[in-house]
Amino acid sequence: EKMLTKEHREEYHVLGQIFDTYWILAFQDKMFIVDQHAAHERILYDRFAKNTDKIPSQQLLMHIFMDLTEKECEFINDNKEVFVKLGFNMEQAGPNSMRLLEVPSDVQIVEAENIIKEILESLENLHNVSPQELRHQTLQITACKAAIKAGDKLSLMQMNFIIEELNNTMLPYTCPHGRPSIIKFSSNELAKMFKRT
């Protein structure tokens, strides 16, 4: 079920942001609470996933050198093509070191090394990872790190833009980790909570 479409744009109102994390929306006879991080994460995951050819990347002017285990370096080299398609271009820089040359355009450079390390940690047994599993984990972690955070103050224009983008995704009600991005209350449910019915 889609929360709104462009035709419904006039009927739907963002009432504001609370705790710099959640948005309150009113639409027809429903109230929605949106988690801004989970919502943006879903948008980014779907955007990345659509790029089956190659995710747009940015070249680093200052290469990042990462200290890794020999096993991790070997895994990256064995899956170099998968990583490049996902926007991460790396090359061996020493026996236990990789040089990061490119990262996805949506990723903040300061987050790049953490993302690679988190991907490697999430794949418990590096010997037994399918390209599909590596792709899913990389997309999920990259989307999470690139998404706006809880605590980020946003304007109404930014919220409206993200909600419209969210509505174009396949699963607007959940983030890629399966956590809710939207919680919905009908006017009847609210009436019951306030013992009006």
mmCIF file of all heavy atoms in Angstrom, residues 162-178:
data_model
loop_
_atom_site.group_PDB
_atom_site.id
_atom_site.type_symbol
_atom_site.label_atom_id
_atom_site.label_comp_id
_atom_site.label_asym_id
_atom_site.label_seq_id
_atom_site.Cartn_x
_atom_site.Cartn_y
_atom_site.Cartn_z
ATOM 1 N N ILE A 162 11.817 13.521 0.474
ATOM 2 C CA ILE A 162 12.132 12.138 0.879
ATOM 3 C C ILE A 162 10.873 11.280 0.880
ATOM 4 O O ILE A 162 10.893 10.120 0.449
ATOM 5 C CB ILE A 162 12.861 12.129 2.241
ATOM 6 C CG1 ILE A 162 14.281 12.656 2.047
ATOM 7 C CG2 ILE A 162 12.879 10.727 2.856
ATOM 8 C CD1 ILE A 162 15.054 12.894 3.316
ATOM 9 N N ILE A 163 9.742 11.840 1.322
ATOM 10 C CA ILE A 163 8.501 11.056 1.346
ATOM 11 C C ILE A 163 8.082 10.673 -0.072
ATOM 12 O O ILE A 163 7.673 9.534 -0.325
ATOM 13 C CB ILE A 163 7.390 11.818 2.096
ATOM 14 C CG1 ILE A 163 7.722 11.835 3.588
ATOM 15 C CG2 ILE A 163 6.025 11.170 1.872
ATOM 16 C CD1 ILE A 163 7.058 12.936 4.352
ATOM 17 N N GLU A 164 8.194 11.609 -1.001
ATOM 18 C CA GLU A 164 7.825 11.276 -2.389
ATOM 19 C C GLU A 164 8.765 10.221 -2.958
ATOM 20 O O GLU A 164 8.342 9.310 -3.665
ATOM 21 C CB GLU A 164 7.800 12.549 -3.240
ATOM 22 C CG GLU A 164 6.582 13.403 -2.896
ATOM 23 C CD GLU A 164 6.352 14.570 -3.842
ATOM 24 O OE1 GLU A 164 6.943 14.569 -4.947
ATOM 25 O OE2 GLU A 164 5.583 15.468 -3.475
ATOM 26 N N GLU A 165 10.054 10.336 -2.635
ATOM 27 C CA GLU A 165 11.031 9.335 -3.082
ATOM 28 C C GLU A 165 10.713 7.971 -2.449
ATOM 29 O O GLU A 165 10.794 6.940 -3.100
ATOM 30 C CB GLU A 165 12.445 9.743 -2.654
ATOM 31 C CG GLU A 165 13.019 10.910 -3.416
ATOM 32 C CD GLU A 165 13.656 10.473 -4.715
ATOM 33 O OE1 GLU A 165 14.629 9.711 -4.684
ATOM 34 O OE2 GLU A 165 13.157 10.891 -5.779
ATOM 35 N N LEU A 166 10.378 7.991 -1.164
ATOM 36 C CA LEU A 166 10.061 6.752 -0.442
ATOM 37 C C LEU A 166 8.893 6.036 -1.096
ATOM 38 O O LEU A 166 8.872 4.812 -1.204
ATOM 39 C CB LEU A 166 9.731 7.087 1.017
ATOM 40 C CG LEU A 166 9.397 5.912 1.940
ATOM 41 C CD1 LEU A 166 10.590 4.984 2.089
ATOM 42 C CD2 LEU A 166 8.957 6.415 3.312
ATOM 43 N N ASN A 167 7.938 6.812 -1.571
ATOM 44 C CA ASN A 167 6.751 6.213 -2.158
ATOM 45 C C ASN A 167 7.019 5.557 -3.510
ATOM 46 O O ASN A 167 6.200 4.792 -3.996
ATOM 47 C CB ASN A 167 5.644 7.261 -2.282
ATOM 48 C CG ASN A 167 4.313 6.655 -1.901
ATOM 49 O OD1 ASN A 167 4.265 5.820 -1.007
ATOM 50 N ND2 ASN A 167 3.266 7.031 -2.575
ATOM 51 N N ASN A 168 8.170 5.860 -4.093
ATOM 52 C CA ASN A 168 8.546 5.216 -5.361
ATOM 53 C C ASN A 168 9.321 3.922 -5.136
ATOM 54 O O ASN A 168 9.723 3.277 -6.091
ATOM 55 C CB ASN A 168 9.401 6.178 -6.206
ATOM 56 C CG ASN A 168 8.588 7.374 -6.662
ATOM 57 O OD1 ASN A 168 7.399 7.248 -6.912
ATOM 58 N ND2 ASN A 168 9.225 8.533 -6.748
ATOM 59 N N THR A 169 9.566 3.568 -3.874
ATOM 60 C CA THR A 169 10.324 2.339 -3.603
ATOM 61 C C THR A 169 9.372 1.142 -3.563
ATOM 62 O O THR A 169 8.162 1.303 -3.462
ATOM 63 C CB THR A 169 11.078 2.431 -2.252
ATOM 64 O OG1 THR A 169 10.118 2.529 -1.195
ATOM 65 C CG2 THR A 169 12.015 3.632 -2.219
ATOM 66 N N MET A 170 9.956 -0.045 -3.602
ATOM 67 C CA MET A 170 9.161 -1.274 -3.612
ATOM 68 C C MET A 170 8.519 -1.542 -2.248
ATOM 69 O O MET A 170 7.411 -2.030 -2.167
ATOM 70 C CB MET A 170 10.046 -2.470 -3.996
ATOM 71 C CG MET A 170 10.577 -2.410 -5.421
ATOM 72 S SD MET A 170 9.249 -2.555 -6.634
ATOM 73 C CE MET A 170 8.852 -4.287 -6.486
ATOM 74 N N LEU A 171 9.259 -1.260 -1.185
ATOM 75 C CA LEU A 171 8.790 -1.597 0.172
ATOM 76 C C LEU A 171 8.897 -0.372 1.072
ATOM 77 O O LEU A 171 9.765 -0.306 1.942
ATOM 78 C CB LEU A 171 9.640 -2.746 0.742
ATOM 79 C CG LEU A 171 9.574 -4.070 -0.015
ATOM 80 C CD1 LEU A 171 10.739 -4.964 0.367
ATOM 81 C CD2 LEU A 171 8.256 -4.779 0.256
ATOM 82 N N PRO A 172 8.035 0.626 0.876
ATOM 83 C CA PRO A 172 8.190 1.876 1.636
ATOM 84 C C PRO A 172 8.042 1.726 3.142
ATOM 85 O O PRO A 172 8.535 2.558 3.894
ATOM 86 C CB PRO A 172 7.100 2.787 1.064
ATOM 87 C CG PRO A 172 6.129 1.893 0.372
ATOM 88 C CD PRO A 172 6.895 0.694 -0.065
ATOM 89 N N TYR A 173 7.376 0.651 3.606
ATOM 90 C CA TYR A 173 7.092 0.526 5.043
ATOM 91 C C TYR A 173 8.227 -0.094 5.858
ATOM 92 O O TYR A 173 8.147 -0.137 7.079
ATOM 93 C CB TYR A 173 5.799 -0.267 5.262
ATOM 94 C CG TYR A 173 4.560 0.592 5.065
ATOM 95 C CD1 TYR A 173 4.009 0.778 3.805
ATOM 96 C CD2 TYR A 173 3.955 1.234 6.146
ATOM 97 C CE1 TYR A 173 2.892 1.584 3.616
ATOM 98 C CE2 TYR A 173 2.841 2.037 5.978
ATOM 99 C CZ TYR A 173 2.315 2.210 4.715
ATOM 100 O OH TYR A 173 1.213 3.017 4.538
ATOM 101 N N THR A 174 9.285 -0.599 5.184
ATOM 102 C CA THR A 174 10.397 -1.183 5.953
ATOM 103 C C THR A 174 11.734 -0.742 5.378
ATOM 104 O O THR A 174 11.868 -0.516 4.177
ATOM 105 C CB THR A 174 10.375 -2.738 5.938
ATOM 106 O OG1 THR A 174 10.402 -3.181 4.579
ATOM 107 C CG2 THR A 174 9.181 -3.309 6.641
ATOM 108 N N CYS A 175 12.741 -0.675 6.265
ATOM 109 C CA CYS A 175 14.104 -0.392 5.818
ATOM 110 C C CYS A 175 14.736 -1.710 5.353
ATOM 111 O O CYS A 175 14.156 -2.784 5.561
ATOM 112 C CB CYS A 175 14.903 0.244 6.964
ATOM 113 S SG CYS A 175 15.583 -0.944 8.134
ATOM 114 N N PRO A 176 15.938 -1.667 4.741
ATOM 115 C CA PRO A 176 16.546 -2.922 4.246
ATOM 116 C C PRO A 176 16.841 -3.953 5.335
ATOM 117 O O PRO A 176 17.016 -5.125 5.049
ATOM 118 C CB PRO A 176 17.846 -2.446 3.590
ATOM 119 C CG PRO A 176 17.625 -1.014 3.286
ATOM 120 C CD PRO A 176 16.703 -0.495 4.327
ATOM 121 N N HIS A 177 16.900 -3.518 6.611
ATOM 122 C CA HIS A 177 17.121 -4.469 7.714
ATOM 123 C C HIS A 177 15.812 -5.083 8.193
ATOM 124 O O HIS A 177 15.804 -5.882 9.122
ATOM 125 C CB HIS A 177 17.783 -3.765 8.909
ATOM 126 C CG HIS A 177 19.110 -3.168 8.603
ATOM 127 N ND1 HIS A 177 19.272 -1.863 8.192
ATOM 128 C CD2 HIS A 177 20.357 -3.710 8.630
ATOM 129 C CE1 HIS A 177 20.551 -1.623 7.996
ATOM 130 N NE2 HIS A 177 21.228 -2.725 8.254
ATOM 131 N N GLY A 178 14.685 -4.642 7.597
ATOM 132 C CA GLY A 178 13.382 -5.167 8.014
ATOM 133 C C GLY A 178 12.753 -4.388 9.162
ATOM 134 O O GLY A 178 11.730 -4.782 9.713
#
